[in-house]
Amino acid sequence: MAGGVRPLRGLRALCRVLLFLSQFCILSGGEQSQALAQSIKDPGPTRTFTVVPRAAESTEIPPYVMKCPSNGLCSRLPADCIDCTTNFSCIYGKPVTFDCAVKPSVTCVDQDFKSQKNFIINMTCRFCWQLPETDYECTNSTSCMTVSCPRQRYPANCTARDHVHCLGNRTFPKMLYCNWTGGYKWSTALALSITLGGFGADRFYLGQWREGLGKLFSFGGLGIWTLIDVLLIGVGYVGPADGSLYI
């Protein structure tokens, strides 16, 4: 009987040990799951990263490139497309040669159609403001009187043409004679003065309505005023009231 009780006691002790180990495992597993859940709920301080965009590569085309023909002769490029080492000590009016180089983004060729960057250009030694009138363009003024004595001048800003090479600044001031027109024709004014001048039609056409009314109500100054106006308009002494030239 005693021999049968000992195995039962050993079995009970084993069961108690197994029960204790199972409870311990359950308790330790619960603590780990709670710690895991807590770590999920509170992930800790977050780090922020700022993404710096890369600088965009410059693809802008210089404004002078629009004036520069591609793959043309370097010697025929406009002055805005090249840089030349000029010498202001040259003799005025004499031919001179200067070393030039094309500006960035400009392509040109030589006489053999080979790409070229440096070349020699031939020109006349003179400043831009010394160019003839056909080689530069100027601003027009519509506020000066073209028919006056002495003839009026106005200040204008002039710019050398693209294909013309010269020394100094390509934009320069000049005093020019008033030469603008308002669209009045000399032939029309003279014809009206001869045919209907007694009624002041010529003066009305030129915009001189006060003189036109005077001629109308005086019947052309009894013909004397009419004859005088024919002569004055014929020689160009009487012009449009706005001060412009005849066309």
Side-chain angles (χ1 to χ4, degrees):
M1 189 69 180
V5 173
R6 289 179 181 177
L8 291 176
R9 290 179 179 177
L11 183 60
R12 289 178 181 177
L14 180 61
C15 290
R16 289 176 182 177
V17 171
L18 293 176
L19 180 60
F20 174 77
L21 292 175
S22 63
Q23 290 179 354
F24 177 78
C25 292
I26 292 173
L27 291 176
S28 62
E31 291 177 356
Q32 292 179 358
S33 62
Q34 289 179 358
L36 180 61
Q38 183 67 22
S39 63
I40 295 175
K41 291 181 180 180
D42 187 9
T46 57
R47 296 181 180 180
T48 58
F49 298 92
T50 303
V51 179
V52 179
R54 295 179 59 184
E57 297 181 358
S58 177
T59 58
E60 295 183 358
I61 300 176
Y64 58 81
V65 176
M66 303 302 295
K67 298 181 180 180
C68 308
S70 180
N71 296 325
L73 291 177
C74 295
S75 58
R76 295 185 180 180
L77 285 174
D80 293 337
C81 304
I82 60 178
D83 289 322
C84 299
T85 55
T86 56
N87 183 9
F88 296 111
S89 63
C90 58
I91 301 176
Y92 172 76
K94 298 294 183 179
V96 64
T97 58
F98 293 125
D99 294 329
C100 301
V102 295
K103 291 184 178 180
S105 303
V106 178
T107 57
C108 62
V109 296
D110 57 7
Q111 297 291 344
D112 298 329
F113 299 101
K114 295 181 180 179
S115 180
Q116 191 178 27
K117 292 295 183 181
N118 301 309
F119 58 97
I120 297 176
I121 193 170
N122 299 316
M123 57 179 291
T124 303
C125 179
R126 59 190 173 187
F127 287 94
C128 294
W129 59 270
Q130 296 174 322
L131 292 172
E133 295 182 358
T134 56
D135 290 343
Y136 58 83
E137 297 177 343
C138 300
T139 57
N140 292 326
S141 174
T142 58
S143 60
C144 59
M145 298 292 293
T146 58
V147 182
S148 61
C149 186
R151 191 176 177 187
Q152 290 187 4
R153 293 174 179 262
Y154 71 96
N157 290 325
C158 303
T159 304
R161 298 185 183 274
D162 292 338
H163 66 280
V164 177
H165 300 281
C166 54
L167 302 177
N169 295 327
R170 299 188 61 82
T171 301
F172 49 90
K174 263 188 175 295
M175 293 296 296
L176 303 178
Y177 286 111
C178 296
N179 59 353
W180 66 285
T181 178
Y184 296 96
K185 292 184 178 181
W186 173 82
S187 58
T188 302
L190 182 61
L192 290 174
S193 181
I194 296 173
T195 57
L196 301 174
F199 302 100
D202 51 351
R203 294 283 183 164
F204 285 123
Y205 172 73
L206 295 175
Q208 303 173 6
W209 59 272
R210 294 184 182 86
E211 292 81 356
L213 290 175
K215 292 182 68 174
L216 176 62
F217 291 110
S218 65
F219 298 102
L222 299 177
I224 299 175
W225 194 351
T226 301
L227 293 176
I228 294 175
D229 272 357
V230 170
L231 294 176
L232 295 179
I233 293 175
V235 299
Y237 184 81
V238 173
D242 58 4
S244 63
L245 291 174
Y246 290 115
I247 59 174

PDB file of all heavy atoms in Angstrom, residues 74-77 82 84 96-100 119-123 165:
ATOM      1  N   CYS A  74      30.644  83.285 -89.645  1.00  0.00           N
ATOM      2  CA  CYS A  74      30.954  84.069 -88.449  1.00  0.00           C
ATOM      3  C   CYS A  74      31.167  85.539 -88.791  1.00  0.00           C
ATOM      4  O   CYS A  74      30.814  86.433 -88.017  1.00  0.00           O
ATOM      5  CB  CYS A  74      32.192  83.509 -87.761  1.00  0.00           C
ATOM      6  SG  CYS A  74      31.976  81.831 -87.097  1.00  0.00           S
ATOM      7  N   SER A  75      31.742  85.810 -89.954  1.00  0.00           N
ATOM      8  CA  SER A  75      32.042  87.192 -90.324  1.00  0.00           C
ATOM      9  C   SER A  75      30.793  88.001 -90.628  1.00  0.00           C
ATOM     10  O   SER A  75      30.861  89.226 -90.703  1.00  0.00           O
ATOM     11  CB  SER A  75      32.976  87.214 -91.539  1.00  0.00           C
ATOM     12  OG  SER A  75      32.382  86.526 -92.637  1.00  0.00           O
ATOM     13  N   ARG A  76      29.654  87.343 -90.803  1.00  0.00           N
ATOM     14  CA  ARG A  76      28.405  88.034 -91.123  1.00  0.00           C
ATOM     15  C   ARG A  76      27.437  88.060 -89.944  1.00  0.00           C
ATOM     16  O   ARG A  76      26.285  88.451 -90.114  1.00  0.00           O
ATOM     17  CB  ARG A  76      27.732  87.379 -92.324  1.00  0.00           C
ATOM     18  CG  ARG A  76      28.541  87.499 -93.603  1.00  0.00           C
ATOM     19  CD  ARG A  76      27.778  86.931 -94.804  1.00  0.00           C
ATOM     20  NE  ARG A  76      28.557  87.052 -96.029  1.00  0.00           N
ATOM     21  CZ  ARG A  76      28.135  86.634 -97.233  1.00  0.00           C
ATOM     22  NH1 ARG A  76      26.933  86.071 -97.328  1.00  0.00           N
ATOM     23  NH2 ARG A  76      28.903  86.779 -98.290  1.00  0.00           N
ATOM     24  N   LEU A  77      27.882  87.654 -88.773  1.00  0.00           N
ATOM     25  CA  LEU A  77      27.014  87.687 -87.603  1.00  0.00           C
ATOM     26  C   LEU A  77      26.735  89.124 -87.184  1.00  0.00           C
ATOM     27  O   LEU A  77      27.584  90.010 -87.349  1.00  0.00           O
ATOM     28  CB  LEU A  77      27.662  86.934 -86.439  1.00  0.00           C
ATOM     29  CG  LEU A  77      27.660  85.405 -86.508  1.00  0.00           C
ATOM     30  CD1 LEU A  77      28.463  84.835 -85.350  1.00  0.00           C
ATOM     31  CD2 LEU A  77      26.243  84.868 -86.488  1.00  0.00           C
ATOM     32  N   ILE A  82      28.709  88.795 -81.178  1.00  0.00           N
ATOM     33  CA  ILE A  82      30.148  88.604 -81.076  1.00  0.00           C
ATOM     34  C   ILE A  82      30.746  89.604 -80.087  1.00  0.00           C
ATOM     35  O   ILE A  82      30.150  90.636 -79.781  1.00  0.00           O
ATOM     36  CB  ILE A  82      30.831  88.758 -82.454  1.00  0.00           C
ATOM     37  CG1 ILE A  82      30.554  90.159 -83.012  1.00  0.00           C
ATOM     38  CG2 ILE A  82      30.352  87.695 -83.415  1.00  0.00           C
ATOM     39  CD1 ILE A  82      31.234  90.425 -84.348  1.00  0.00           C
ATOM     40  N   CYS A  84      34.389  91.656 -79.650  1.00  0.00           N
ATOM     41  CA  CYS A  84      35.612  91.995 -80.372  1.00  0.00           C
ATOM     42  C   CYS A  84      36.531  92.833 -79.490  1.00  0.00           C
ATOM     43  O   CYS A  84      36.057  93.637 -78.672  1.00  0.00           O
ATOM     44  CB  CYS A  84      35.290  92.768 -81.653  1.00  0.00           C
ATOM     45  SG  CYS A  84      34.278  91.852 -82.845  1.00  0.00           S
ATOM     46  N   VAL A  96      40.186  98.659 -90.902  1.00  0.00           N
ATOM     47  CA  VAL A  96      40.895  98.084 -89.766  1.00  0.00           C
ATOM     48  C   VAL A  96      40.331  96.688 -89.507  1.00  0.00           C
ATOM     49  O   VAL A  96      39.190  96.384 -89.877  1.00  0.00           O
ATOM     50  CB  VAL A  96      40.713  98.986 -88.522  1.00  0.00           C
ATOM     51  CG1 VAL A  96      39.266  99.053 -88.093  1.00  0.00           C
ATOM     52  CG2 VAL A  96      41.599  98.528 -87.369  1.00  0.00           C
ATOM     53  N   THR A  97      41.152  95.821 -88.915  1.00  0.00           N
ATOM     54  CA  THR A  97      40.748  94.452 -88.580  1.00  0.00           C
ATOM     55  C   THR A  97      40.821  94.266 -87.072  1.00  0.00           C
ATOM     56  O   THR A  97      41.743  94.760 -86.417  1.00  0.00           O
ATOM     57  CB  THR A  97      41.650  93.413 -89.276  1.00  0.00           C
ATOM     58  OG1 THR A  97      43.001  93.633 -88.884  1.00  0.00           O
ATOM     59  CG2 THR A  97      41.528  93.540 -90.790  1.00  0.00           C
ATOM     60  N   PHE A  98      39.845  93.531 -86.542  1.00  0.00           N
ATOM     61  CA  PHE A  98      39.787  93.259 -85.105  1.00  0.00           C
ATOM     62  C   PHE A  98      39.576  91.766 -84.891  1.00  0.00           C
ATOM     63  O   PHE A  98      38.921  91.093 -85.699  1.00  0.00           O
ATOM     64  CB  PHE A  98      38.653  94.037 -84.440  1.00  0.00           C
ATOM     65  CG  PHE A  98      38.850  95.523 -84.436  1.00  0.00           C
ATOM     66  CD1 PHE A  98      37.890  96.361 -84.967  1.00  0.00           C
ATOM     67  CD2 PHE A  98      40.002  96.083 -83.904  1.00  0.00           C
ATOM     68  CE1 PHE A  98      38.075  97.724 -84.974  1.00  0.00           C
ATOM     69  CE2 PHE A  98      40.196  97.452 -83.900  1.00  0.00           C
ATOM     70  CZ  PHE A  98      39.230  98.276 -84.439  1.00  0.00           C
ATOM     71  N   ASP A  99      40.141  91.258 -83.781  1.00  0.00           N
ATOM     72  CA  ASP A  99      39.934  89.862 -83.388  1.00  0.00           C
ATOM     73  C   ASP A  99      38.611  89.751 -82.638  1.00  0.00           C
ATOM     74  O   ASP A  99      38.357  90.495 -81.684  1.00  0.00           O
ATOM     75  CB  ASP A  99      41.077  89.378 -82.500  1.00  0.00           C
ATOM     76  CG  ASP A  99      42.405  89.333 -83.247  1.00  0.00           C
ATOM     77  OD1 ASP A  99      42.377  89.091 -84.465  1.00  0.00           O
ATOM     78  OD2 ASP A  99      43.454  89.548 -82.606  1.00  0.00           O
ATOM     79  N   CYS A 100      37.791  88.804 -83.048  1.00  0.00           N
ATOM     80  CA  CYS A 100      36.456  88.636 -82.453  1.00  0.00           C
ATOM     81  C   CYS A 100      36.234  87.181 -82.069  1.00  0.00           C
ATOM     82  O   CYS A 100      36.896  86.272 -82.579  1.00  0.00           O
ATOM     83  CB  CYS A 100      35.361  89.082 -83.431  1.00  0.00           C
ATOM     84  SG  CYS A 100      35.493  90.813 -83.955  1.00  0.00           S
ATOM     85  N   PHE A 119      37.664  84.531 -84.892  1.00  0.00           N
ATOM     86  CA  PHE A 119      37.825  84.941 -86.286  1.00  0.00           C
ATOM     87  C   PHE A 119      38.216  86.412 -86.321  1.00  0.00           C
ATOM     88  O   PHE A 119      38.253  87.100 -85.298  1.00  0.00           O
ATOM     89  CB  PHE A 119      36.535  84.699 -87.081  1.00  0.00           C
ATOM     90  CG  PHE A 119      35.339  85.399 -86.523  1.00  0.00           C
ATOM     91  CD1 PHE A 119      34.920  86.622 -87.031  1.00  0.00           C
ATOM     92  CD2 PHE A 119      34.621  84.846 -85.475  1.00  0.00           C
ATOM     93  CE1 PHE A 119      33.824  87.274 -86.497  1.00  0.00           C
ATOM     94  CE2 PHE A 119      33.515  85.489 -84.945  1.00  0.00           C
ATOM     95  CZ  PHE A 119      33.121  86.711 -85.457  1.00  0.00           C
ATOM     96  N   ILE A 120      38.493  86.923 -87.500  1.00  0.00           N
ATOM     97  CA  ILE A 120      38.883  88.319 -87.728  1.00  0.00           C
ATOM     98  C   ILE A 120      37.797  89.001 -88.550  1.00  0.00           C
ATOM     99  O   ILE A 120      37.271  88.423 -89.501  1.00  0.00           O
ATOM    100  CB  ILE A 120      40.244  88.396 -88.445  1.00  0.00           C
ATOM    101  CG1 ILE A 120      41.340  87.779 -87.562  1.00  0.00           C
ATOM    102  CG2 ILE A 120      40.590  89.834 -88.803  1.00  0.00           C
ATOM    103  CD1 ILE A 120      42.694  87.728 -88.241  1.00  0.00           C
ATOM    104  N   ILE A 121      37.460  90.220 -88.170  1.00  0.00           N
ATOM    105  CA  ILE A 121      36.434  90.973 -88.871  1.00  0.00           C
ATOM    106  C   ILE A 121      37.038  92.265 -89.415  1.00  0.00           C
ATOM    107  O   ILE A 121      37.887  92.897 -88.774  1.00  0.00           O
ATOM    108  CB  ILE A 121      35.241  91.277 -87.934  1.00  0.00           C
ATOM    109  CG1 ILE A 121      34.053  91.779 -88.738  1.00  0.00           C
ATOM    110  CG2 ILE A 121      35.606  92.278 -86.855  1.00  0.00           C
ATOM    111  CD1 ILE A 121      32.775  91.863 -87.941  1.00  0.00           C
ATOM    112  N   ASN A 122      36.619  92.639 -90.626  1.00  0.00           N
ATOM    113  CA  ASN A 122      37.080  93.866 -91.271  1.00  0.00           C
ATOM    114  C   ASN A 122      35.990  94.930 -91.160  1.00  0.00           C
ATOM    115  O   ASN A 122      34.814  94.653 -91.399  1.00  0.00           O
ATOM    116  CB  ASN A 122      37.408  93.614 -92.739  1.00  0.00           C
ATOM    117  CG  ASN A 122      38.516  92.590 -92.924  1.00  0.00           C
ATOM    118  OD1 ASN A 122      39.522  92.627 -92.223  1.00  0.00           O
ATOM    119  ND2 ASN A 122      38.336  91.674 -93.856  1.00  0.00           N
ATOM    120  N   MET A 123      36.363  96.141 -90.803  1.00  0.00           N
ATOM    121  CA  MET A 123      35.403  97.225 -90.663  1.00  0.00           C
ATOM    122  C   MET A 123      36.117  98.552 -90.898  1.00  0.00           C
ATOM    123  O   MET A 123      37.344  98.595 -91.077  1.00  0.00           O
ATOM    124  CB  MET A 123      34.759  97.204 -89.276  1.00  0.00           C
ATOM    125  CG  MET A 123      35.736  97.281 -88.131  1.00  0.00           C
ATOM    126  SD  MET A 123      34.974  97.272 -86.495  1.00  0.00           S
ATOM    127  CE  MET A 123      34.194  98.870 -86.501  1.00  0.00           C
ATOM    128  N   HIS A 165      29.006  97.279 -88.030  1.00  0.00           N
ATOM    129  CA  HIS A 165      29.997  97.215 -86.952  1.00  0.00           C
ATOM    130  C   HIS A 165      30.644  98.591 -86.796  1.00  0.00           C
ATOM    131  O   HIS A 165      31.029  99.236 -87.785  1.00  0.00           O
ATOM    132  CB  HIS A 165      31.065  96.163 -87.254  1.00  0.00           C
ATOM    133  CG  HIS A 165      30.512  94.784 -87.401  1.00  0.00           C
ATOM    134  ND1 HIS A 165      30.184  93.996 -86.313  1.00  0.00           N
ATOM    135  CD2 HIS A 165      30.207  94.052 -88.500  1.00  0.00           C
ATOM    136  CE1 HIS A 165      29.714  92.833 -86.732  1.00  0.00           C
ATOM    137  NE2 HIS A 165      29.726  92.847 -88.061  1.00  0.00           N
TER     138      HIS A 165
END
